Amino acid sequence: MSDDPFAASDAILVAADPETVFAFLDDPANHAAITPGLADVRDVEPLENGGKRLSYTYRMAGMGIDGEIVQTVHDPPERHVFDLRGRLTGTIDLRLAPAEGETELTYAATYGLPENALTRLGAPAIRRFNERQLRAALENVAGRFDDE
């Protein structure tokens, strides 16, 4: 784990093959379903690299924060990388690897938060928040495949 309070990384085993998990994560509507705080995904546009550009609204500390996500890496079935642009900035890197009939999904992210949130929360609280959000997203992905 990095000392950067705005970086978080974790992994989970998902009970599906990498191709199936990759396809699930390739649908922006699924990110809204699994990501705590992601309230809206809209204006989805395909990109030449196979990825997508979209607008989103993220709810944090009672605030709705709008921004844009641009998928910079779309490498089936191994990797998705997204750049967050707007008031929230950062990078989300999702890596998928086969693991004995399942998929090891690794989620690494670095976030930049609006200044007023930084002032109110402070680095330790931001680190805990990011780690909880990331873990919840991973568990939500795994939960989608538990009963299949």
Side-chain angles (χ1 to χ4, degrees):
M1 171 56 91
S2 165
D3 288 334
D4 182 347
F6 311 115
S9 180
D10 203 346
I12 198 166
L13 284 176
V14 179
D17 61 77
E19 291 79 10
T20 301
V21 178
F22 187 94
F24 175 81
L25 294 170
D26 202 29
D27 181 346
N30 289 333
H31 286 269
I34 59 136
T35 305
L38 188 56
D40 184 37
V41 172
R42 61 194 175 279
D43 304 328
V44 178
E45 300 174 19
L47 299 174
E48 288 184 22
N49 68 1
K52 295 159 190 71
R53 174 190 320 270
L54 58 94
S55 297
Y56 70 89
T57 300
Y58 186 81
R59 298 209 59 81
M60 179 178 63
M63 302 182 331
I65 301 170
D66 292 324
E68 178 183 66
I69 295 175
V70 177
Q71 190 169 12
T72 57
V73 176
H74 182 267
D75 184 17
E78 298 175 357
R79 192 169 179 211
H80 293 278
V81 178
F82 306 91
D83 280 351
L84 283 70
R85 300 174 182 174
R87 290 186 62 212
L88 290 177
T89 59
T91 302
I92 297 171
D93 189 347
L94 303 174
R95 294 178 186 247
L96 300 87
E100 298 181 18
E102 296 183 314
T103 299
E104 181 180 37
L105 174 60
T106 302
Y107 187 137
T110 303
Y111 303 106
L113 301 175
E115 189 61 37
N116 58 351
L118 299 177
T119 303
R120 280 200 309 262
L121 297 174
I126 290 168
R127 175 187 293 280
R128 287 190 302 276
F129 176 82
N130 287 342
E131 289 170 349
R132 282 192 311 268
Q133 295 287 95
L134 188 145
R135 186 68 198 171
L138 284 171
E139 289 173 357
N140 289 339
V141 172
R144 293 293 173 132
F145 296 95
D146 282 346
D147 297 326
E148 293 186 8

Tab-separated table of all heavy atoms in Angstrom, residues 3-29:
chain	number	residue	atom	x	y	z
A	3	ASP	N	1.933	5.191	0.618
A	3	ASP	CA	1.737	6.157	1.695
A	3	ASP	C	0.824	7.292	1.261
A	3	ASP	O	0.443	8.125	2.064
A	3	ASP	CB	3.085	6.735	2.140
A	3	ASP	CG	3.899	5.706	2.912
A	3	ASP	OD1	3.301	4.800	3.517
A	3	ASP	OD2	5.137	5.819	2.908
A	4	ASP	N	0.482	7.349	-0.005
A	4	ASP	CA	-0.401	8.371	-0.545
A	4	ASP	C	-1.810	8.154	0.010
A	4	ASP	O	-2.408	7.099	-0.209
A	4	ASP	CB	-0.411	8.272	-2.071
A	4	ASP	CG	-1.262	9.331	-2.734
A	4	ASP	OD1	-2.044	10.012	-2.044
A	4	ASP	OD2	-1.155	9.469	-3.964
A	5	PRO	N	-2.375	9.117	0.755
A	5	PRO	CA	-3.707	8.925	1.318
A	5	PRO	C	-4.782	8.835	0.241
A	5	PRO	O	-5.904	8.452	0.518
A	5	PRO	CB	-3.914	10.149	2.206
A	5	PRO	CG	-3.005	11.177	1.655
A	5	PRO	CD	-1.816	10.422	1.095
A	6	PHE	N	-4.440	9.211	-0.980
A	6	PHE	CA	-5.413	9.200	-2.058
A	6	PHE	C	-5.274	7.962	-2.927
A	6	PHE	O	-5.919	7.858	-3.957
A	6	PHE	CB	-5.264	10.468	-2.891
A	6	PHE	CG	-5.232	11.699	-2.017
A	6	PHE	CD1	-4.109	12.478	-1.954
A	6	PHE	CD2	-6.316	12.029	-1.229
A	6	PHE	CE1	-4.068	13.591	-1.128
A	6	PHE	CE2	-6.285	13.136	-0.400
A	6	PHE	CZ	-5.162	13.922	-0.361
A	7	ALA	N	-4.426	6.997	-2.527
A	7	ALA	CA	-4.230	5.761	-3.273
A	7	ALA	C	-4.775	4.599	-2.456
A	7	ALA	O	-4.673	4.576	-1.232
A	7	ALA	CB	-2.744	5.546	-3.567
A	8	ALA	N	-5.368	3.651	-3.159
A	8	ALA	CA	-5.874	2.443	-2.508
A	8	ALA	C	-5.752	1.300	-3.497
A	8	ALA	O	-5.835	1.503	-4.711
A	8	ALA	CB	-7.320	2.637	-2.077
A	9	SER	N	-5.555	0.097	-2.963
A	9	SER	CA	-5.450	-1.083	-3.809
A	9	SER	C	-5.895	-2.299	-3.006
A	9	SER	O	-5.621	-2.393	-1.811
A	9	SER	CB	-4.009	-1.256	-4.291
A	9	SER	OG	-3.902	-2.399	-5.108
A	10	ASP	N	-6.581	-3.227	-3.675
A	10	ASP	CA	-7.035	-4.448	-3.029
A	10	ASP	C	-7.362	-5.447	-4.125
A	10	ASP	O	-7.438	-5.090	-5.303
A	10	ASP	CB	-8.275	-4.164	-2.167
A	10	ASP	CG	-8.493	-5.179	-1.052
A	10	ASP	OD1	-7.852	-6.254	-1.073
A	10	ASP	OD2	-9.317	-4.899	-0.169
A	11	ALA	N	-7.563	-6.708	-3.744
A	11	ALA	CA	-7.889	-7.755	-4.710
A	11	ALA	C	-8.905	-8.697	-4.098
A	11	ALA	O	-9.038	-8.789	-2.873
A	11	ALA	CB	-6.627	-8.508	-5.112
A	12	ILE	N	-9.617	-9.406	-4.980
A	12	ILE	CA	-10.621	-10.380	-4.550
A	12	ILE	C	-10.716	-11.472	-5.606
A	12	ILE	O	-10.408	-11.230	-6.780
A	12	ILE	CB	-11.988	-9.690	-4.326
A	12	ILE	CG1	-12.916	-10.553	-3.476
A	12	ILE	CG2	-12.644	-9.320	-5.656
A	12	ILE	CD1	-14.125	-9.790	-2.940
A	13	LEU	N	-11.128	-12.659	-5.198
A	13	LEU	CA	-11.408	-13.733	-6.149
A	13	LEU	C	-12.875	-13.656	-6.545
A	13	LEU	O	-13.755	-13.510	-5.692
A	13	LEU	CB	-11.110	-15.098	-5.544
A	13	LEU	CG	-9.634	-15.460	-5.450
A	13	LEU	CD1	-9.467	-16.812	-4.746
A	13	LEU	CD2	-8.974	-15.494	-6.820
A	14	VAL	N	-13.124	-13.763	-7.843
A	14	VAL	CA	-14.474	-13.711	-8.383
A	14	VAL	C	-14.766	-15.064	-9.026
A	14	VAL	O	-13.940	-15.576	-9.802
A	14	VAL	CB	-14.612	-12.584	-9.432
A	14	VAL	CG1	-16.018	-12.549	-10.014
A	14	VAL	CG2	-14.240	-11.236	-8.814
A	15	ALA	N	-15.931	-15.642	-8.734
A	15	ALA	CA	-16.287	-16.986	-9.190
A	15	ALA	C	-16.784	-16.980	-10.633
A	15	ALA	O	-17.913	-17.344	-10.942
A	15	ALA	CB	-17.336	-17.589	-8.267
A	16	ALA	N	-15.917	-16.529	-11.534
A	16	ALA	CA	-16.200	-16.524	-12.966
A	16	ALA	C	-14.871	-16.396	-13.688
A	16	ALA	O	-13.868	-15.962	-13.103
A	16	ALA	CB	-17.129	-15.372	-13.337
A	17	ASP	N	-14.866	-16.738	-14.983
A	17	ASP	CA	-13.627	-16.625	-15.752
A	17	ASP	C	-13.354	-15.156	-16.103
A	17	ASP	O	-14.272	-14.329	-16.065
A	17	ASP	CB	-13.705	-17.483	-17.018
A	17	ASP	CG	-14.839	-17.050	-17.924
A	17	ASP	OD1	-14.695	-16.025	-18.624
A	17	ASP	OD2	-15.898	-17.722	-17.914
A	18	PRO	N	-12.088	-14.829	-16.428
A	18	PRO	CA	-11.734	-13.429	-16.719
A	18	PRO	C	-12.566	-12.808	-17.841
A	18	PRO	O	-12.919	-11.630	-17.770
A	18	PRO	CB	-10.253	-13.491	-17.089
A	18	PRO	CG	-9.743	-14.681	-16.344
A	18	PRO	CD	-10.884	-15.673	-16.382
A	19	GLU	N	-12.909	-13.580	-18.863
A	19	GLU	CA	-13.697	-13.028	-19.974
A	19	GLU	C	-15.065	-12.552	-19.488
A	19	GLU	O	-15.535	-11.477	-19.892
A	19	GLU	CB	-13.864	-14.073	-21.087
A	19	GLU	CG	-12.588	-14.403	-21.822
A	19	GLU	CD	-11.653	-15.373	-21.078
A	19	GLU	OE1	-12.055	-15.962	-20.042
A	19	GLU	OE2	-10.510	-15.529	-21.524
A	20	THR	N	-15.700	-13.334	-18.619
A	20	THR	CA	-17.022	-12.976	-18.094
A	20	THR	C	-16.941	-11.758	-17.187
A	20	THR	O	-17.772	-10.839	-17.278
A	20	THR	CB	-17.628	-14.182	-17.343
A	20	THR	OG1	-17.724	-15.282	-18.252
A	20	THR	CG2	-18.992	-13.859	-16.769
A	21	VAL	N	-15.931	-11.728	-16.317
A	21	VAL	CA	-15.770	-10.583	-15.413
A	21	VAL	C	-15.419	-9.330	-16.212
A	21	VAL	O	-15.952	-8.243	-15.952
A	21	VAL	CB	-14.705	-10.882	-14.327
A	21	VAL	CG1	-14.501	-9.663	-13.421
A	21	VAL	CG2	-15.104	-12.098	-13.501
A	22	PHE	N	-14.552	-9.471	-17.207
A	22	PHE	CA	-14.188	-8.329	-18.045
A	22	PHE	C	-15.429	-7.762	-18.728
A	22	PHE	O	-15.643	-6.538	-18.734
A	22	PHE	CB	-13.151	-8.731	-19.098
A	22	PHE	CG	-12.619	-7.562	-19.877
A	22	PHE	CD1	-11.455	-6.933	-19.482
A	22	PHE	CD2	-13.288	-7.075	-20.997
A	22	PHE	CE1	-10.960	-5.834	-20.194
A	22	PHE	CE2	-12.810	-5.988	-21.707
A	22	PHE	CZ	-11.636	-5.369	-21.306
A	23	ALA	N	-16.259	-8.639	-19.299
A	23	ALA	CA	-17.474	-8.185	-19.988
A	23	ALA	C	-18.408	-7.462	-19.016
A	23	ALA	O	-19.005	-6.431	-19.359
A	23	ALA	CB	-18.178	-9.368	-20.645
A	24	PHE	N	-18.546	-7.982	-17.804
A	24	PHE	CA	-19.372	-7.328	-16.789
A	24	PHE	C	-18.847	-5.922	-16.499
A	24	PHE	O	-19.607	-4.950	-16.462
A	24	PHE	CB	-19.387	-8.172	-15.505
A	24	PHE	CG	-20.119	-7.527	-14.372
A	24	PHE	CD1	-21.502	-7.589	-14.292
A	24	PHE	CD2	-19.425	-6.854	-13.374
A	24	PHE	CE1	-22.183	-6.985	-13.233
A	24	PHE	CE2	-20.097	-6.255	-12.322
A	24	PHE	CZ	-21.484	-6.316	-12.251
A	25	LEU	N	-17.533	-5.809	-16.310
A	25	LEU	CA	-16.926	-4.509	-15.997
A	25	LEU	C	-16.883	-3.577	-17.203
A	25	LEU	O	-16.662	-2.377	-17.051
A	25	LEU	CB	-15.517	-4.709	-15.438
A	25	LEU	CG	-15.456	-5.404	-14.077
A	25	LEU	CD1	-14.011	-5.764	-13.735
A	25	LEU	CD2	-16.079	-4.543	-12.994
A	26	ASP	N	-17.112	-4.107	-18.390
A	26	ASP	CA	-17.092	-3.307	-19.612
A	26	ASP	C	-18.398	-2.542	-19.823
A	26	ASP	O	-18.481	-1.689	-20.684
A	26	ASP	CB	-16.804	-4.211	-20.809
A	26	ASP	CG	-16.241	-3.461	-21.988
A	26	ASP	OD1	-15.561	-2.428	-21.786
A	26	ASP	OD2	-16.478	-3.903	-23.132
A	27	ASP	N	-19.409	-2.831	-19.012
A	27	ASP	CA	-20.701	-2.163	-19.114
A	27	ASP	C	-20.778	-1.064	-18.048
A	27	ASP	O	-20.829	-1.360	-16.851
A	27	ASP	CB	-21.819	-3.183	-18.908
A	27	ASP	CG	-23.206	-2.573	-19.029
A	27	ASP	OD1	-23.350	-1.323	-19.008
A	27	ASP	OD2	-24.167	-3.358	-19.122
A	28	PRO	N	-20.786	0.218	-18.449
A	28	PRO	CA	-20.812	1.306	-17.473
A	28	PRO	C	-21.983	1.231	-16.489
A	28	PRO	O	-21.845	1.648	-15.335
A	28	PRO	CB	-20.901	2.565	-18.334
A	28	PRO	CG	-20.269	2.164	-19.628
A	28	PRO	CD	-20.678	0.722	-19.820
A	29	ALA	N	-23.112	0.695	-16.898
A	29	ALA	CA	-24.253	0.581	-15.983
A	29	ALA	C	-23.904	-0.328	-14.804
A	29	ALA	O	-24.382	-0.102	-13.687
A	29	ALA	CB	-25.475	0.047	-16.721
